[in-house]
Amino acid sequence: MTKKYSIITIFPEIVKTYLGCSILKRAVERDIIHVDLHDLRDYTTDKHRMVDDYPYGGGPGMVMKPDPFFRIMETHWPDRKDRRTIMLSPRGRSFSQALAQELVHEERELVFLCGRYEAIDERVAEHLVDDEISIGDYILTGGELPALVIIDAVSRLIPGVLGDSRSAEDESFSRGLLDYPHYTRPEMFRDMEVPRVLLSGNHRDIRRWRNKQSLKLTLQRRPDLITADSLSKEEILLLQEIKEETS
Ligand code: 9WO
């Protein structure tokens, strides 16, 4: 089944460019994903195709008008049950690998509303939107990049989008640890060597080394990711070793 996304934006070109490259391009060509782009200005009714207006109550900047959003939703998704409408917003719930997993299993079409200017009229969020999602605590100039971030993270979870052999790799992040260090040829670059164990051909030792490096990095950089119930017996032993080495 094709995964369907729709993006509502006043800058469809931004989105089109990214989706026309690399892995997502191939996924579109293979009908694994399908993306409809909608220019919000096509749903205005005035001759200047205005999508913004002054804020009631005053203040800086412009606010996106509700009418074009309501018109586009009524045109394409008259029935709410056919779509899950996502607004990209710094006040939304945080995007994460777990939310990407939830969205990849969503049966309904994913419809992304991308705002611009200072804000969108609150009645859009209240009446049209199922989820507000934030990709991080910063302000951008619009919701297009966050929509692409979400489509990217969700699409790579669909079987066949990446090489199939790579799908198992995701387990490491969904298990909640940082990735271990990677190396490729040459064995000696300038004066920098590849760790010997990776050249040993001993796959048990390699797995153990990688596991330990993952734990070490996670402990150093993201200790918040390590919780008592997230670790296996082997990992608890490795953690012990790391703590002894560094004390
Ligand atoms: C501007 C602003 C200024 C001061 C305090 C809070 C503020 N919020 C905004 C704002 O949301 N501006 C917008 C720009 C309006 C519509 C879309 N824009 C947006 C979306 N900027 N940043 C995002 C976003 C979305 C998801 N995850 C991170 C950022």
Side-chain angles (χ1 to χ4, degrees), residues 110-128:
L110 299 180
V111 179
F112 294 90
L113 303 188
C114 304
R116 284 267 153 178
Y117 310 106
E118 285 301 301
I120 305 178
D121 188 288
E122 188 64 22
R123 290 164 289 192
V124 171
E126 234 173 300
H127 296 279
L128 299 177

Side-chain angles (χ1 to χ4, degrees), residues 39-198:
D39 187 340
L40 188 68
R41 286 195 199 280
D42 294 342
Y43 298 83
T44 54
T45 52
D46 63 306
K47 81 165 193 249
H48 295 109
R49 312 210 323 145
M50 297 276 285
V51 293
D52 61 325
D53 206 339
Y54 297 96
Y56 274 122
M62 300 296 275
V63 175
M64 294 188 91
K65 296 156 66 65
D67 189 60
F69 286 106
F70 278 76
R71 286 169 47 88
I72 191 172
M73 295 310 292
E74 286 156 6
T75 304
H76 295 280
W77 305 273
D79 197 337
R80 269 194 97 131
K81 77 171 183 356
D82 297 331
R83 40 90 173 169
R84 178 162 173 180
T85 313
I86 294 169
M87 188 162 106
L88 297 313
S89 157
R91 70 182 198 186
R93 70 165 159 146
S94 299
F95 189 58
S96 63
Q97 195 62 27
L99 184 46
Q101 287 286 356
E102 182 189 323
L103 294 177
V104 78
H105 292 112
E106 172 62 61
E107 296 283 322
R108 293 168 290 176
E109 179 173 351
L110 299 180
V111 179
F112 294 90
L113 303 188
C114 304
R116 284 267 153 178
Y117 310 106
E118 285 301 301
I120 305 178
D121 188 288
E122 188 64 22
R123 290 164 289 192
V124 171
E126 234 173 300
H127 296 279
L128 299 177
V129 169
D130 298 300
D131 295 290
E132 288 186 57
I133 299 179
S134 164
I135 63 159
D137 293 339
Y138 35 76
I139 312 292
L140 302 168
T141 57
E144 288 79 8
L145 290 173
L148 283 172
V149 166
I150 293 170
I151 289 171
D152 197 288
V154 170
S155 297
R156 68 182 289 290
L157 296 175
I158 304 170
V161 169
L162 303 180
D164 276 333
S165 61
R166 288 165 68 183
S167 54
E169 257 183 304
D170 282 322
E171 282 171 35
S172 110
F173 196 77
S174 33
R175 269 190 36 244
L177 294 180
L178 301 182
D179 205 1
Y180 50 78
H182 296 258
Y183 297 87
T184 185
R185 291 189 292 181
E187 202 177 305
M188 175 78 92
F189 173 66
R190 311 268 165 107
D191 58 345
M192 298 170 281
E193 290 173 26
V194 171
R196 301 270 359 135
V197 61
L198 298 179

